[in-house]
Amino acid sequence: MDDYELLGLDGSDLDEILSMPVKTAECLALLTLEEAYDVLRPLVTVVQESGPLSREADRPAKAIAVRIPSEN
């Protein structure tokens, strides 16, 4: 299983995404604060569950968390 399958994307989804007329690198470089929290919350949940993916989720969770202000 590759990363795209984990995200629930099949070949047709990927074709549609890859054919979008956007500057992908520029879009990926920036997330809104709300988007960053949307990504961070499930990563932190996975880390806290101490399951098989918790080690993998820990690094990106920390990388995002240090770059955004606290929600509290």
Side-chain angles (χ1 to χ4, degrees):
M1 178 180 290
D2 62 24
D3 291 340
Y4 297 117
E5 290 173 358
L6 289 172
L7 295 172
L9 299 173
D10 63 20
S12 62
D13 293 324
L14 293 175
D15 291 341
E16 181 180 343
I17 292 168
L18 294 174
S19 67
M20 291 179 176
V22 296
K23 296 179 181 175
T24 305
E26 290 178 17
C27 291
L28 292 176
L30 300 173
L31 291 174
T32 66
L33 186 57
E34 182 179 350
E35 290 168 334
Y37 282 117
D38 289 346
V39 172
L40 181 59
R41 284 184 201 103
L43 285 171
V44 169
T45 300
V46 170
V47 170
Q48 291 173 340
E49 289 177 351
S50 300
L53 295 176
S54 64
R55 285 183 94 179
E56 284 187 56
D58 188 57
R59 186 184 55 79
K62 287 178 180 175
I64 294 169
V66 299
R67 290 175 171 86
I68 60 175
S70 173
E71 281 186 295
N72 299 329

